[in-house]
């Protein structure tokens, strides 16, 4: 998912327009900006591309998830169901709004297991938050019907899946509200940035205010604006948004190249008896940023992961040992190690994660390897890589 691989004249041109006007902020200074409204322009581009009514650009994906939860009304003491396999930002955002992250198992989609979700619902549950990990989607029909049956919000963390879709709807735009990240290692980048998308105008108005200290953005005198709600500062700068505009124009090409490269690797690995692939609820909606596959056992997965490196292929992730993406290493969450005291509601409401195991998740993640798909590989390099991967994996089976 590396938008960072493609940075060139288009990005420099957009940033220079901001530099020459000198207006680095997304609001105000109308006379000085030479007509440049980069954040607004990128929001329009996201709305068009994702076919969604409202996009709100933000300073990060973490700010996006936090804003999405807040404006959808998730707050103090509410439970948010989320997967054991994600990035720490997902639960950071839940905690940021005063809510309680309830971890539940994943299935072979590498995202929320609908069965596990059903079993985790309590009277305090307010939202279900699938995370479309590694560029591919959760079983959104199943999760949506659970939400409908239980009157719950569907909040999509699509931070890793920009450009992906589910049965024709953009990931992020399927649920009540969705989130993207444009940090430096995501599908496209702003350097740092994120966005919330929704078809709900009430959420959109609240997001617009929430990310800018509650400003209502009515009229053209910033100092005279009123503040109907409490907010924060999660604004994106014009410089970051400028990079993002150029990157938006590359999105189709990025997905095209990722698809081409992933297909070569997947076709090659398909010939190996004994490995299987991540389940994709809509294979055509993949954003193709990773190829994820399963070995028959944990031991073989560990050996295969090592062999892949020994045979000279980089960028293979074994998430079971990963410090950031899997619940086992989230000691700071399990112990609620805040830098300052945490609200009593959260302390009292947190499930006891100390020593808690998720054997169903372990049984999948301990066998999973994901290969990052790069844009700048030549055709030769992709073929060579495919051959090496096959040799490496066969050497341990
Ligand atoms: C990257 C990421 C985020 C947060 O994005 P930042 O822009 O880095 O703050 C949230 N959720 C997931 C799943 C991510 O991968």
């Amino acid at each position: 998912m590396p938008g960072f691989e493609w940075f060139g004249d288009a990005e420099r041109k957009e940033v220079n327009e901001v530099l020459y006007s000198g207006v680095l902020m997304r609001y105000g200074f109308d006379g000085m900006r030479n007509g440049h409204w980069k954040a607004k322009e990128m929001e329009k581009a996201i709305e068009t591309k994702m076919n969604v009514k409202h996009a709100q650009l933000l300073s990060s994906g973490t700010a996006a998830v936090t804003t999405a939860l807040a404006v959808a009304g998730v707050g103090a003491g509410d439970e948010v169901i989320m997967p054991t396999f994600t990035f720490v930002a997902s639960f950071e955002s839940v905690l940021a709004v005063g809510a309680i992250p309830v971890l539940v198992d994943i299935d072979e989609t590498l995202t929320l297991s609908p069965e596990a979700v059903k079993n985790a619902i309590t009277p305090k549950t307010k939202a279900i938050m699938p995370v479309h990990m590694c560029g591919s989607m959760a079983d959104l029909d199943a999760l949506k019907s659970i939400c409908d049956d239980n009157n719950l919000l569907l909040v999509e963390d699509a931070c890793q899946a920009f450009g992906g879709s589910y049965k024709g709807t953009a990931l992020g735009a399927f649920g009540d509200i969705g989130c993207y990240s444009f940090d430096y290692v995501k599908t496209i980048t702003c350097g740092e940035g994120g966005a919330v998308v929704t078809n709900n105008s009430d959420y959109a108005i609240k997001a617009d205010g929430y990310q800018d200290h509650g400003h209502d953005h009515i009229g053209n005198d910033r100092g005279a604006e009123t503040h109907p709600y409490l907010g924060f500062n999660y604004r994106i700068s014009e410089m970051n948004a400028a990079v993002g505009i150029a990157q938006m124009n590359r999105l189709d090409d990025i997905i095209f190249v990722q698809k081409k490269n992933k297909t070569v690797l997947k076709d090659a690995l398909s010939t190996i008896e004994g490995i299987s692939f991540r389940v994709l609820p809509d294979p055509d909606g993949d954003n193709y940023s990773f190829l994820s596959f399963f070995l028959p056992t944990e031991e073989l997965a560990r050996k295969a992961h090592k062999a892949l490196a020994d045979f000279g292929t980089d960028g293979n992730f074994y998430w079971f040992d990963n410090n950031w993406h899997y619940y086992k290493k989230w000691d700071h969450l399990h112990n609620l190690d805040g830098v300052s005291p945490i609200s009593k509601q959260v302390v009292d409401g947190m499930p006891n994660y100390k020593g808690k195991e998720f054997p169903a998740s372990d049984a999948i993640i301990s066998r999973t390897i994901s290969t990052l798909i790069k844009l700048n590989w030549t055709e030769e390099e992709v073929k060579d890589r495919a051959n090496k991967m096959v040799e490496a994996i066969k050497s341990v089976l």
Side-chain angles (χ1 to χ4, degrees):
M1 40 179 196
F4 65 82
E5 283 185 90
W6 287 355
F7 185 98
D9 287 345
E11 284 78 2
R12 279 185 275 275
K13 173 180 166 288
E14 293 290 337
V15 174
N16 275 334
E17 287 179 358
V18 176
L19 290 177
Y20 281 112
S21 79
V23 180
L24 310 185
M25 187 184 185
R26 68 166 297 175
Y27 297 112
F29 304 93
D30 298 24
M32 292 166 58
R33 0 184 21 113
N34 301 333
H36 297 305
W37 300 88
K38 299 299 183 188
K40 279 195 174 62
E41 192 181 331
M42 187 171 174
E43 284 164 352
K44 280 275 161 298
I46 294 171
E47 286 163 5
T48 305
K49 187 85 202 163
M50 301 305 154
N51 193 21
V52 65
K53 274 196 200 136
H54 309 283
Q56 175 67 54
L57 220 46
L58 296 147
S59 53
S60 72
T62 310
V65 183
T66 306
T67 300
L69 291 167
V71 303
V74 179
D78 291 334
E79 291 179 354
V80 177
I81 292 177
M82 54 161 282
T84 51
F85 177 49
T86 177
F87 179 52
V88 291
S90 306
F91 65 73
E92 289 167 355
S93 299
V94 174
L95 291 170
V97 300
I100 293 156
V102 174
L103 304 183
V104 316
D105 277 316
I106 55 153
D107 59 20
E108 288 203 347
T109 64
L110 298 185
T111 65
L112 281 178
S113 150
E115 272 317 302
V117 167
K118 271 189 217 161
N119 294 333
I121 294 172
T122 75
K124 285 192 186 167
T125 307
K126 184 77 177 252
I128 296 176
M129 184 161 77
V131 182
H132 304 304
M133 279 299 275
C134 306
S136 304
M137 75 298 297
D139 183 347
L140 285 170
D141 280 338
L143 295 172
K144 174 93 174 74
S145 101
I146 297 172
C147 286
D148 290 347
D149 291 347
N150 295 277
N151 195 23
L152 302 174
L153 294 160
L154 184 59
V155 179
E156 291 177 80
D157 180 342
C159 285
Q160 294 197 5
F162 195 62
S165 61
Y166 178 72
K167 299 183 181 174
T169 301
L171 296 180
F174 183 93
D176 294 287
I177 191 159
C179 314
Y180 303 124
S181 165
F182 308 120
D183 79 21
Y184 195 52
V185 297
K186 295 306 199 307
T187 302
I188 67 163
T189 188
C190 289
E192 299 286 357
V196 157
V197 288
T198 183
N199 288 309
N200 182 316
S201 303
D202 175 49
Y203 295 170
I205 290 168
K206 285 178 178 155
D208 173 66
Y210 185 78
Q211 53 90 44
D212 186 22
H213 306 294
H215 273 266
D216 65 11
H217 299 136
I218 294 171
N220 56 6
D221 177 356
R222 200 169 153 76
E225 289 174 11
T226 65
H227 30 66
Y229 306 104
L230 294 168
F232 287 99
N233 179 0
Y234 292 143
R235 292 189 307 258
I236 195 162
S237 86
E238 284 287 274
M239 307 255 278
N240 294 96
V243 176
I245 288 169
Q247 292 265 306
M248 278 299 291
N249 291 328
R250 299 187 190 273
L251 181 62
D252 288 345
D253 292 340
I254 288 174
I255 305 280
F256 177 83
V257 172
Q258 287 182 169
K259 179 174 182 177
K260 192 165 62 110
N261 291 347
K262 177 171 173 172
T263 304
V264 173
L265 296 186
K266 190 168 182 180
D267 286 350
L269 265 60
S270 300
T271 62
I272 306 174
E273 192 111 4
I275 70 164
S276 56
F277 296 94
R278 170 189 189 170
V279 172
L280 305 182
D282 176 8
D284 294 334
D286 195 359
N287 96 348
Y288 306 96
S289 49
F290 281 90
L291 172 63
S292 298
F293 52 95
F294 306 120
L295 277 291
T297 64
E298 173 182 345
E299 195 197 344
L300 286 171
R302 288 184 181 278
K303 282 188 182 160
H305 184 240
K306 183 169 179 306
L308 284 166
D310 293 345
F311 278 71
T313 66
D314 60 357
N316 299 294
F317 294 85
Y318 183 61
W319 306 111
F320 198 48
D321 290 341
N322 188 285
N323 276 345
W324 295 94
H325 292 283
Y326 196 51
Y327 84 92
K328 274 194 182 297
K329 298 283 176 78
W330 297 340
D331 308 337
H332 59 330
L333 172 68
H334 308 326
N335 301 326
L336 272 181
D337 289 328
V339 291
S340 63
I342 291 178
S343 89
K344 193 167 153 27
Q345 231 157 348
V346 171
V347 173
D348 292 348
M350 270 292 272
N352 185 7
Y353 290 125
K354 274 181 230 169
K356 182 161 169 58
E357 302 275 345
F358 291 87
S361 299
D362 291 353
I364 293 164
I365 291 291
S366 66
R367 297 186 293 111
T368 305
I369 295 173
S370 299
T371 293
L372 179 65
I373 306 299
K374 290 275 191 72
L375 302 172
N376 289 341
W377 290 332
T378 63
E379 256 176 59
E380 241 2 82
E381 282 169 332
V382 183
K383 276 190 206 143
D384 180 54
R385 189 183 174 87
N387 291 335
K388 283 181 177 154
M389 286 183 76
V390 171
E391 276 179 55
I393 296 166
K394 279 191 172 163
S395 78
V396 306
L397 284 175

